[in-house]
Amino acid sequence: ISPSMPVMIVENKEHGNKAYCNLNEGLGKVLRFGAYDEEVIDRLNWMEETLYPSLKTAMEELEEIDLNTITSKALHMNDEVHNRNVASSALLQKLITQGMLDSGVDREILTKVYEFMSDNEHFYLNFSMANSKATMDSILEMEYCTLLTAMTRNGTDFGIRVSATGEKWYVTEAPVVDGLYFSGYSKEDAARDMGDSSISETRGVGGFAMAASPSIVQFVGGTPSEAVNYTKEMYEVSQGKDPNLTIPLLDFQGVPTGIDLRKALRKGIAPIINTGIAHKEPGIGQIGAGIVRAPMDCFKQALQQLSEDLDL
Amino acid sequence: ISPSMPVMIVENKEHGNKAYCNLNEGLGKVLRFGAYDEEVIDRLNWMEETLYPSLKTAMEELEEIDLNTITSKALHMNDEVHNRNVASSALLQKLITQGMLDSGVDREILTKVYEFMSDNEHFYLNFSMANSKATMDSILEMEYCTLLTAMTRNGTDFGIRVSATGEKWYVTEAPVVDGLYFSGYSKEDAARDMGDSSISETRGVGGFAMAASPSIVQFVGGTPSEAVNYTKEMYEVSQGKDPNLTIPLLDFQGVPTGIDLRKALRKGIAPIINTGIAHKEPGIGQIGAGIVRAPMDCFKQALQQLSEDLDL
């Protein structure tokens, strides 16, 4: 994201903090997975010149879109809103289309924007991430609080933030992902885990909500019962359950939310992350998706820092 | 459905037979549940004058819509395409909207049709029923075949058809439904089970596919694990599993399909049906939804007839 790029603004209406996201380009050869050839640049230009202005017009008509409602409905429609965004993207498209129809968006442009959204089953992903970010930033610096406010990776390093120590990062080597590869690629081609989308799991969706999305295993690997068990396991490291984001299959329990550093370390359970896999060479893009565990070394660093800060 | 009403045509492309459906009016006060006041008639007139012609234009553009693909995707999105049609309706709306955008449908009309579809989470139901009908009619009269081709109810009687005896009906009293009632209504207000939508279960969706839709229990009652168990039980009375309609949670097994009269009678397992509940007085409409078992008396009649026909 460069300074002149348009972004969507996601506001935490309870706490007033904001998060921002660009729009999802789709799967495969896309900028966010390191591809940058003409096809990629052309798409980004079209997005800047046509897609963003249309959404701006639609948003002026709609005033706001309640992302928590979309996420909540989507969890009842087999999405975990990280690696599966089929239902959430359709629900978002439904609202945006209504906004475009009711406002002055030109029919030809509206049709193209509509097709773009129809073709991208991950259109909601970026909104979902910014929504998770806006949620977790509300506890960015709470005294004594050992909940994680972020987990992120950049292809070489893996970092976490813990509420009590604010914007400080605890960093270790990023893991290699065990996953399903797109046709023609294998583990040999993979970069280490990459991206800031693990804000999803930090908030309690994605890997933490896999019991809501048994069919996700077709994309990230494993069996449906493993998917259910991941969620059950994540209750062990979480502070609570979110009553607004429920999982039908688990008798409508809320998703496990608020990763407690101390619980994870005491129980030796590393948070699970549903993740995309990037090619290790630039220019190729996403080559698969899979499941990965957060490396616990940065958790230990954080606990050490907290102990020192509190003179324990 | 009267002779002058427009209908959608659903064709079984494998066998060439066709089924037909009108469009879903929504829940509550609607003609198909016995309501007929001005609000109902006005809506039906709007549907005839505006909705149907718009869909006709869209269909000319689209040529056809593959309903099996929608059903298949929707089963991976928590629909059982009988009493829960949230995802399937959204997927259908997506295609129809594309057809309307690409063809000459007037923008103002397009916007109203779009809103109508957005507001009706059961818009797919009628398509789903006609699709099930077109599927089951393909085995309408197969020698020796003891699979059911239809189950239906009219508020007083419950009837089934069995493949080997073609269009003959075996009829008994319709059951009372155990279900969840809309606010202000109770079992005292309910008519006996009604409607031809149980063609859904005859084909293997609806109650038979509840394991794909644990959240359906919020609409029809029961717990998610009961929902899963209904599907498992229905494998006992079914001829096979449909490999094109799979259930993620059951390790992507196909839905139980083809109710075998003999299996149901031998095992004493009555097919399960997800159903809507109509008020027993005319003019009020749907007052709830629930789960019901097919009454086995008509199964016994059918077996008796088959035994006589075959001199057993």
Side-chain angles (χ1 to χ4, degrees), chain A residues 34-295:
Chain A
Y36 53 83
D37 69 7
E38 204 181 325
E39 178 191 336
V40 175
I41 303 299
D42 284 350
R43 190 193 302 116
L44 286 171
N45 283 333
W46 177 81
M47 288 169 74
E48 180 175 0
E49 288 156 19
T50 306
L51 182 57
Y52 281 100
S54 306
L55 296 202
K56 189 174 162 69
T57 307
M59 284 309 297
E60 281 160 5
E61 177 71 29
L62 296 167
E63 294 182 12
E64 62 181 32
I65 289 176
D66 182 345
L67 298 179
N68 285 329
T69 297
I70 293 180
T71 295
S72 173
K73 284 186 185 176
L75 289 177
H76 285 212
M77 295 170 77
N78 231 321
D79 279 4
E80 40 72 277
V81 296
H82 182 179
N83 263 318
R84 188 172 160 103
N85 299 285
V86 180
S88 49
S89 297
L91 294 173
L92 178 62
Q93 178 181 13
K94 215 160 143 169
L95 292 174
I96 290 173
T97 302
Q98 189 69 54
M100 290 197 298
L101 281 169
D102 290 341
S103 61
V105 177
D106 170 76
R107 182 169 182 142
E108 201 178 314
I109 290 174
L110 191 156
T111 303
K112 288 215 173 98
V113 169
Y114 188 82
E115 279 166 14
F116 180 82
M117 292 191 288
S118 287
D119 288 345
N120 184 354
E121 293 191 336
H122 291 280
F123 190 65
Y124 187 65
L125 171 58
N126 298 30
F127 293 81
S128 174
M129 286 164 59
N131 192 31
S132 290
K133 176 76 174 154
T135 302
M136 297 319 295
D137 273 356
S138 66
I139 58 157
L140 190 59
E141 196 153 10
M142 286 178 74
E143 207 177 1
Y144 307 123
C145 179
T146 54
L147 300 187
L148 270 56
T149 56
M151 298 192 286
T152 193
R153 316 85 86 197
N154 66 2
T156 55
D157 296 337
F158 186 106
I160 62 168
R161 273 179 175 173
V162 177
S163 175
T165 58
E167 299 193 357
K168 184 173 167 61
W169 287 102
Y170 306 94
V171 177
T172 190
E173 191 179 41
V176 175
V177 184
D178 177 26
L180 293 180
Y181 288 84
F182 299 164
S183 176
Y185 299 104
S186 75
K187 207 166 177 171
E188 310 305 309
D189 305 308
R192 285 181 179 273
D193 199 19
M194 189 173 92
D196 49 1
S197 64
S198 41
I199 189 71
S200 309
E201 282 75 12
T202 317
R203 190 259 175 276
V205 292
F208 278 50
M210 278 176 81
S213 179
S215 58
I216 188 80
V217 299
Q218 290 183 316
F219 195 60
V220 298
T223 66
S225 62
E226 283 167 0
V228 172
N229 286 337
Y230 283 134
T231 294
K232 289 182 178 168
E233 189 186 8
M234 291 306 111
Y235 285 118
E236 297 290 321
V237 299
S238 298
Q239 170 67 14
K241 301 171 185 181
D242 188 329
N244 296 316
L245 300 182
T246 61
I247 301 178
L249 189 67
L250 300 181
D251 291 328
F252 300 94
Q253 283 181 89
V255 297
T257 198
I259 300 169
D260 189 333
L261 180 69
R262 292 175 301 162
K263 287 188 181 175
L265 284 169
R266 192 169 64 233
K267 299 184 182 181
I269 298 174
I272 201 91
I273 298 166
N274 281 350
T275 190
I277 305 169
H279 200 285
K280 62 186 174 188
E281 305 294 338
I284 297 173
Q286 184 171 3
I287 59 168
I291 292 168
V292 76
R293 295 269 182 179

Side-chain angles (χ1 to χ4, degrees), chain B residues 172-198:
Chain B
T172 190
E173 191 179 42
V176 175
V177 184
D178 178 26
L180 294 180
Y181 288 84
F182 299 163
S183 176
Y185 299 104
S186 75
K187 207 165 177 171
E188 311 305 309
D189 305 307
R192 285 181 180 273
D193 198 19
M194 190 173 92
D196 50 1
S197 63
S198 41

Side-chain angles (χ1 to χ4, degrees), chain B residues 19 29 35 37 44 52 62 70 93 95 99-100 104 111 124 144 146 154 191-192 211 223 237 249 269 279 288 295 308:
Chain B
K29 209 191 263 187
D37 70 7
L44 286 171
Y52 280 100
L62 296 166
I70 294 181
Q93 178 182 13
L95 292 174
M100 290 196 299
T111 304
Y124 187 66
Y144 307 123
T146 55
N154 66 3
R192 285 181 180 273
T223 66
V237 299
L249 189 68
I269 298 174
H279 199 286
E308 285 169 21

Side-chain angles (χ1 to χ4, degrees), chain B residues 91-106:
Chain B
L91 294 172
L92 178 62
Q93 178 182 13
K94 216 161 143 169
L95 292 174
I96 290 173
T97 302
Q98 189 69 54
M100 290 196 299
L101 282 168
D102 290 341
S103 61
V105 177
D106 170 76

Side-chain angles (χ1 to χ4, degrees), chain B residues 136 147 202-204 208 235 238-242 255-259:
Chain B
M136 297 319 296
L147 300 186
T202 317
R203 190 259 175 275
F208 279 50
Y235 285 118
S238 298
Q239 170 67 14
K241 301 171 185 183
D242 188 328
V255 297
T257 199
I259 300 169

